[in-house]
Amino acid sequence: MKKCRRCQKPATLHITEVRKGDVTEIHLCETCARDYLEQTDSNPDSDPAAEFEFEKLPESDEETSSPADDRGCPHCGISFREFRSQGRLGCPYCYVEFKSDLIPLLQNIHGEVQHCGKLPRRAPDSSRRQHELLQLRNELKAAVDEEDYELAARLRDDIQAIEKQINSPAKSTDNE
Amino acid sequence: MDLDRLTQKSSEWLRGTGPESDVVVSTRIRLARNFAEFPFTTRIEEAAKAEVAARACECFEDLAIPAKLSYINVSTLDELDRQFLVERQLISRELSEGAGARGVAISNDEDIAIMVNEEDHLRVQVLRSGLTLDDCWKSMDEIDDAIEEQVAFAFHDQYGYLTACPTNVGTGIRVSVMMHLPALVQTREIQKVFHALQKINLAVRGLYGEGSQAMGDFYQISNQYTLGLSETQVINRVREVVPMILKYERRAREQMIEEKRQELHDHISRAYGVLSSAQTISSEETMHLLSSVRLGVNLGLIEDVSIPILNELFIQTQPAHLQKLKQKALNSAERNIARASLLRRRIAEAAE
Ligand SMILES: [Zn+2]
Ligand SMILES: [Zn+2]
């Protein structure tokens, strides 16, 4: 569990702030969160970073932008600098091209960097099963957090069944 | 589709039916999707953009879903018609004010609306009356599968569905519940309740999703995370907070009834009186008074008008709707007169 930015107690509130295009995340305990909310409540334009140390995005921390920011996506030509100023990527390939810069950004925005939702129907069976596994593991984590051990046991069985399937290609319906 | 026909009817989501509809006005789910072989809308050339629109249209024509969709080419609409669609919640301001080939496919009940060439190539929306998260998702999942039978979406094993803005990547899902919270607003508890929510990664917005000031005490609660959670998990997160807000709102309502019934009844009756007899009235005052009357109907203090009619009036008294109704451009003063006249007529009809 993350610690409170201000007092090191366990952080129970995770606040995502978007200010002038900068995404920042702060983790606070309940007491500090209440102070924080009151502060932003009474003066929404103030910069709470003055008192609460913000965990800035790695990119926005750099005072001078690195030359790497000027490299463009080979497919759509957008540079990372342009992306940062307008907040929109240029094409699907940008996600591959700017991977190293995007991962910390995604981590900051969503707290996770691995999709575990729906899969396109055209996805090959092997990746479908991988995703099913990810989804089940995610649910298992939630079940354990909520101390629903009955559900957790059932999910563990499901996970094992799929893992067995993946490891025995004979049973697989995958053509690859 | 003939836009003038829409002015004669009401959208499904205004029916005022469905679970918890005294507080929960509507449930909306939207998915962001992009065609795999084109740049995103912000970075696309005009010709390719037109191709995206053409392919989308082709795909909508025989989409394997129960509802029939009609495509409206937004790029050929005048400003009034575009504003009209925004007021009906069928397109976003961004699409309305955008440029180049773009449009929206809508179902007859207006419960499905698929925007083409907004920030993403496709923005699919399902919008229904009341707290109907599962219904909306079931329908959405079907539509998404049906589109995907004809189109390859931009998808990445790690990041999921790829979107122009990284805040939507993964599931591309936005789940929103619109709630009418007049008692929490009046007792000034709303800021407390929502500030807490906003900061635990659920967003709160006013009725038209623009400013922070909610019009007519309507608030929209929606998820912010789209990556790392399944669609069902996102839906459940929103589902979990709704009962808490419902409880606060209903408790505030009960408290108002118990502690100052007469004052409240007076306030609501005056609101009804103004709406049913004013000769000129602003949009802002209308929203405010309709909100009071809506609360009055839900508390059983007023019986002359129904929730669906009030829901409709919130939309029909908007500027573009009034002008479509009168079939001519109206300035602000003329709109105020037209608005008052519409209100008097609708409320008198309802009371008969
Ligand atoms: Zn603390
Ligand atoms: Zn690119």
Side-chain angles (χ1 to χ4, degrees):
Chain A
M1 180 175 275
K2 288 201 158 120
K3 284 186 178 151
C4 173
R5 293 292 298 170
R6 208 168 60 156
C7 74
Q8 304 298 307
K9 271 190 276 180
T12 47
L13 282 164
H14 309 285
I15 302 177
T16 306
E17 284 276 18
V18 182
R19 281 172 186 271
K20 300 182 185 92
D22 275 354
V23 186
T24 46
E25 177 139 302
I26 44 176
H27 309 277
L28 298 169
C29 73
E30 220 182 310
T31 321
C32 296
R34 203 168 298 137
D35 290 350
Y36 172 85
L37 294 183
E38 269 163 25
Q39 194 180 326
T40 42
D41 225 3
S42 55
N43 187 2
D45 293 327
S46 77
D47 187 2
E51 194 189 342
F52 291 88
E53 232 180 291
F54 271 77
E55 199 173 330
K56 286 245 177 189
L57 285 184
E59 292 86 12
S60 28
D61 247 0
E62 296 166 19
E63 287 185 355
T64 52
S65 49
S66 67
D69 279 3
D70 291 324
R71 75 176 194 273
C73 165
H75 283 254
C76 70
I78 200 173
S79 68
F80 198 73
R81 185 201 303 280
E82 277 175 273
F83 159 66
R84 269 171 38 182
S85 74
Q86 67 199 38
R88 306 283 182 275
L89 290 161
C91 77
Y93 190 77
C94 287
Y95 279 92
V96 178
E97 180 63 24
F98 302 128
K99 180 175 177 162
S100 57
D101 294 303
L102 279 173
I103 293 273
L105 180 76
L106 293 173
Q107 179 71 44
N108 235 309
I109 299 171
H110 302 280
E112 298 282 343
V113 292
Q114 174 64 55
H115 174 61
C116 77
K118 212 175 153 167
L119 267 195
R121 286 185 159 187
R122 338 180 151 221
D125 280 355
S126 57
S127 33
R128 297 201 69 83
R129 275 196 306 269
Q130 289 294 348
H131 261 263
E132 213 176 317
L133 266 184
L134 281 167
Q135 241 168 40
L136 288 170
R137 289 202 182 110
N138 204 328
E139 283 168 32
L140 175 64
K141 210 174 87 194
V144 172
D145 282 350
E146 281 161 29
E147 303 188 357
D148 186 344
Y149 297 115
E150 205 177 308
L151 178 65
R154 224 179 316 139
L155 290 167
R156 263 189 212 103
D157 289 347
D158 292 349
I159 289 170
Q160 274 174 6
I162 295 175
E163 277 171 344
K164 229 182 254 165
Q165 232 183 1
I166 290 175
N167 294 332
S168 60
K171 271 190 196 169
S172 162
T173 50
D174 207 349
N175 295 325
E176 288 168 0
Chain B
M1 171 174 278
D2 179 11
L3 280 192
D4 292 326
R5 225 191 65 222
L6 288 183
T7 57
Q8 310 299 322
K9 62 197 239 352
S10 167
S11 323
E12 195 282 345
W13 65 277
L14 295 169
R15 277 192 325 191
T17 54
E20 325 287 3
S21 56
D22 57 327
V23 179
V24 180
V25 178
S26 62
T27 303
R28 176 213 308 257
I29 295 184
R30 78 112 168 95
L31 290 186
R33 294 286 188 261
N34 287 283
F35 294 0
E37 69 275 37
F38 291 95
F40 296 138
T41 315
T42 38
R43 198 81 189 174
I44 201 168
E45 279 170 16
E46 202 41 55
K49 197 173 184 181
E51 204 182 324
V52 168
R55 282 217 207 161
C57 278
E58 204 178 298
C59 153
F60 298 151
E61 246 155 52
D62 45 11
L63 204 59
I65 57 167
K68 192 184 166 333
L69 301 178
S70 316
Y71 187 77
I72 300 171
N73 185 346
V74 173
S75 50
T76 60
L77 296 181
D78 63 21
E79 201 188 332
L80 180 63
D81 282 344
R82 297 200 308 268
Q83 183 58 28
F84 174 77
L85 293 176
V86 172
E87 288 174 6
R88 286 182 95 79
Q89 320 256 311
L90 292 170
I91 66 171
S92 64
R93 242 168 248 282
E94 187 170 338
L95 189 82
S96 167
E97 286 158 18
R102 63 201 196 282
V104 63
I106 61 179
S107 64
N108 250 330
D109 289 344
E110 297 174 53
D111 60 338
I112 301 168
I114 310 177
M115 284 192 282
V116 180
N117 282 333
E118 210 242 28
E119 182 182 301
D120 296 295
H121 297 146
L122 299 183
R123 283 282 178 99
V124 189
Q125 160 179 297
V126 174
L127 174 60
R128 300 253 162 89
S129 182
L131 183 61
T132 45
L133 288 161
D134 294 328
D135 277 2
C136 286
W137 172 243
K138 189 169 164 274
S139 186
M140 176 61 87
D141 199 18
E142 257 173 42
I143 299 166
D144 185 43
D145 286 348
I147 299 175
E148 209 236 310
E149 269 172 29
Q150 305 184 42
V151 176
F153 286 139
F155 185 88
H156 184 280
D157 262 352
Q158 178 175 358
Y159 309 122
Y161 290 95
L162 302 178
T163 54
C165 183
T167 54
N168 295 315
V169 79
T171 51
I173 199 171
R174 193 73 70 220
V175 179
S176 314
V177 172
M178 185 156 53
M179 304 181 86
H180 184 227
L181 304 169
L184 282 177
V185 173
Q186 278 184 42
T187 56
R188 293 176 206 284
E189 283 177 70
I190 194 87
Q191 289 304 331
K192 255 188 287 171
V193 174
F194 280 130
H195 229 114
L197 268 186
Q198 194 163 15
K199 305 298 176 169
I200 45 180
N201 298 308
L202 289 172
V204 185
R205 288 208 190 113
L207 178 54
Y208 290 104
E210 30 167 12
S212 53
Q213 183 67 43
M215 297 266 271
D217 309 323
F218 291 101
Y219 289 85
Q220 184 170 286
I221 295 127
S222 45
N223 68 298
Q224 290 191 289
Y225 290 170
T226 55
L227 186 62
L229 295 167
S230 70
E231 291 79 2
T232 319
Q233 284 176 313
V234 171
I235 290 166
N236 286 340
R237 283 205 174 179
V238 174
R239 193 199 315 272
E240 277 161 21
V241 304
V242 172
M244 182 194 92
I245 304 166
L246 273 172
K247 197 177 81 190
Y248 282 131
E249 169 65 20
R250 287 189 179 135
R251 192 200 286 158
R253 289 181 184 188
E254 276 163 29
Q255 221 171 330
M256 284 169 80
I257 281 276
E258 267 168 36
E259 288 168 14
K260 35 185 180 181
R261 186 189 180 95
Q262 204 156 29
E263 197 186 319
L264 181 67
H265 198 165
D266 177 68
H267 182 80
I268 288 166
S269 305
R270 280 167 188 268
Y272 183 77
V274 171
L275 289 174
S276 50
S277 60
Q279 298 297 313
T280 169
I281 190 166
S282 72
S283 172
E284 206 184 336
E285 186 180 6
T286 303
M287 292 292 242
H288 182 69
L289 298 176
L290 282 172
S291 174
S292 288
V293 173
R294 196 180 190 277
L295 175 65
V297 172
N298 279 325
L299 291 175
L301 297 174
I302 286 188
E303 286 170 348
D304 293 344
V305 60
S306 69
I307 293 293
I309 288 180
L310 291 171
N311 287 352
E312 274 173 37
L313 286 174
F314 276 105
I315 304 300
Q316 289 172 350
T317 53
Q318 298 290 310
H321 271 75
L322 288 173
Q323 295 175 74
K324 291 289 283 181
L325 193 73
K326 292 278 175 192
Q327 301 201 323
K328 63 175 179 186
L330 303 172
N331 65 29
S332 168
E334 290 166 336
R335 288 201 300 270
N336 289 349
I337 293 169
R339 184 177 295 115
S341 136
L342 172 76
L343 285 164
R344 287 198 310 273
R345 181 165 58 80
R346 293 298 305 272
I347 290 175
E349 280 168 10
E352 267 168 21

